[in-house]
Amino acid sequence: MNQDTICAIATAQGGAIGSIRVSGPEAISITSRIFKPGKSNRKFNEQKPYTLTFGRIYNGKEIIDEVLVSLFRSPHSYTGEDCTEITCHGSSYILQQVMQLLIKNGCRMAQPGEYTQRAFLNGKMDLSQAEAVADLIASSSAATHRLAMSQMRGGFSKELTDLRGKLLDFTSMVELELDFSEEDVEFADRQALRQLADEIEEVISRLVNSFNVGNAIKNGVPVAIIGETNAGKSTLLNVLLNEDKAIVSDIHGTTRDVIEDTVNMGGITFRFIDTAGIRETNDMIENLGIERTFQKLDQAEIVLWIVDATDANSQIIQLSEQILPRCEGKHLIVVFNKAEIIHKTQKDSLRTFFQQNFLQEHTDMIFISAKQKLHTDELEKMLVNAAHLPNITQNDIIVTNVRHYEALTKALEAIHRVQEGLDVQISGDFLSQDIREVIFHISDIAGEVTNDMVLQNIFRNFCIGK
Ligand SMILES: Nc1nc2c(c(=O)[nH]1)N(C=O)[C@@H](CNc1ccc(C(=O)N[C@@H](CCC(=O)O)C(=O)O)cc1)CN2
Ligand SMILES: Nc1nc2c(ncn2[C@@H]2O[C@H](COP(=O)(O)OP(=O)(O)OP(=O)(O)O)[C@@H](O)[C@H]2O)c(=O)[nH]1
């Protein structure tokens, strides 16, 4: 299927050593045209797989570099094709020269993700494993690494493949019944099918539900910072992020757009979402921002509600109607900011007010000064406690990929129809249709029925050389 032999630089710029990967039917012959092994009696194309050969890359008579070359023979390589790897000195000039020589001798530049795409097309891995390769390269913490590693090693595709196999057996029995419809026979034991459907429903529900945790680990626990204009949201965000990201000014409504950034605190990645201040306004652009604030609030797991302590009462009363109903199921932290300029008696009355009106599960309050960084460490601890993520291991199966989540959600809907259908003794042809749909969505995750556009999109997001 892949007649082209492709090449790409696989290493980042600036290292002492650089590596070029060649893959395809001509990989070994093209490499041997530009590479002469050190000991002249050895031939590169007789090199044993998984060994290194020392030698030189020549452009005509000129030596480009002294290199080490490795060799893999189809199907035993990353792509499943014949492959070579040329390891030279890390000069971008040398790497470019070697690339040009390879191209002059019949290679073509690889597209982003093309090696992994070939690995997928040659059956070395399924699509969810290929997607995990990209996650693995992007992983920046122990948790994201563990998730990507578990998925790359076959994580949930194995479990899904087993279930899909059982479903296929069943649906072929149901479909066989259809061929004998005159005789009113039942090859597929409905009770056993119902048991299988329940089992599958449980597995898929678990995977669908794991996405919240998976998403929080991969993209950060979403924390929305909301409150009235000028309460100090941007100032606090800058403190939390330890850098000057959001624009701070004393003109009301400075933050019109939603700013997002992630930061690691206590081993947990948080994704802070600064939002436009909420107030009644006729400014069109600002109103759009406020609309978006509410959308972001819905996505958040933790809500930091910043209240200007010097002007708290009116804000609380005005906003509690808008905000509180939207915080159900979320952890709400009411942050009284600018606390350094209010009196102790004011604090006490605010605390009493809070305790009388907000005391419920998953609600905290704190007095801080964002400007003077007073009690902001305590706020960080509060956040870490609010974000109780489970400890995950490489054996935990957690969905992190939106594409998988969507396919699983559709599979879950279809399996519910199968369960309902069995309960009301639906006819075989409808039943098999619903089962086929479950199979279809499960197969989508492994990439067996995935359409070309989606495939292209997935691999285009890889880096070159992978
Ligand atoms: N130099 C180099 N390092 C690398 C890679 C590479 O391509 N080149 N990889 C690229 O991502 C990763 C390793 N991935 C690989 C995966 C499979 C095979 C391979 O030869 N598989 C054979 C043998 C399997 C076995 O013995 O179990 C096969 O599948 O038949 C090679 C590399 C990370 N490090
Ligand atoms: N005294 C005092 N002033 C503060 C504190 N935090 C912020 N401010 C000031 O309050 C003003 C508004 O701060 P911002 O951080 O821009 O407020 P915001 O909530 O992001 O405002 P919008 O972008 O308009 O929604 C600025 O002048 C800040 O310097 C604080 O803890 N104490």
Side-chain angles (χ1 to χ4, degrees), residues 10 45 58 78 103 110 155-156 160 167 204 260 271 282 291 313-315 353 362 375 386 389 413 438 454:
N45 55 12
Y58 281 88
Y78 179 70
I103 290 165
F156 61 92
L160 290 179
L167 272 179
I204 297 181
E260 293 196 16
R271 180 158 48 87
N282 294 322
E291 178 66 23
N313 290 335
S314 67
Q315 291 183 38
F353 179 86
H362 306 305
H375 304 295
L389 285 177
E413 283 164 16
V438 181
V454 175

Side-chain angles (χ1 to χ4, degrees), residues 10 19 21 50 70 72-73 75-80 83 85 87 116 124-125 133 152 465-466:
S19 178
R21 286 171 119 182
Y50 296 108
S70 54
F72 307 81
R73 282 187 206 281
H76 299 297
S77 70
Y78 179 70
T79 57
C83 287
E85 286 181 1
T87 310
T116 308
K124 302 300 285 187
M125 56 179 80
V133 172
M152 196 177 81
K466 193 58 224 182

Side-chain angles (χ1 to χ4, degrees), residues 5-8 20-37 42-47 51-59 65 67-73 82-87 98-99 101-108 115:
T5 297
I6 53 174
C7 63
I20 289 174
R21 286 171 119 182
V22 186
S23 181
E26 300 292 322
I28 295 170
S29 64
I30 293 174
T31 305
S32 60
R33 262 176 253 152
I34 66 168
F35 171 66
K36 299 282 166 291
R42 271 172 65 182
K43 282 204 179 113
F44 174 63
N45 55 12
E46 287 163 11
Q47 180 180 322
T51 60
L52 286 177
T53 303
F54 171 79
R56 294 178 183 83
I57 298 285
Y58 281 88
N59 180 9
D65 199 6
V67 298
L68 290 170
V69 180
S70 54
L71 181 152
F72 307 81
R73 282 187 206 281
D82 281 355
C83 287
T84 67
E85 286 181 1
I86 304 168
T87 310
V98 177
M99 283 292 288
L101 284 169
L102 287 168
I103 290 165
K104 218 174 0 181
N105 282 279
C107 281
R108 127 171 114 66
Y115 293 92

Side-chain angles (χ1 to χ4, degrees), residues 369-409:
S369 166
K371 202 172 182 177
Q372 299 188 355
K373 300 190 186 171
L374 293 175
H375 304 295
T376 49
D377 288 354
E378 274 167 55
L379 175 59
E380 289 185 9
K381 279 188 201 121
M382 232 177 217
L383 278 165
V384 171
N385 286 334
H388 44 80
L389 285 177
N391 255 339
I392 53 154
T393 70
Q394 279 197 9
N395 296 325
D396 285 328
I397 296 177
I398 289 168
V399 177
T400 59
N401 183 303
V402 183
R403 194 184 69 82
H404 302 168
Y405 173 71
E406 283 170 356
L408 287 165
T409 307

Side-chain angles (χ1 to χ4, degrees), residues 448-460:
E448 278 152 24
V449 295
T450 313
N451 79 45
D452 288 352
M453 285 274 285
V454 175
L455 284 181
Q456 267 183 23
N457 242 320
I458 289 169
F459 290 108
R460 208 181 300 143

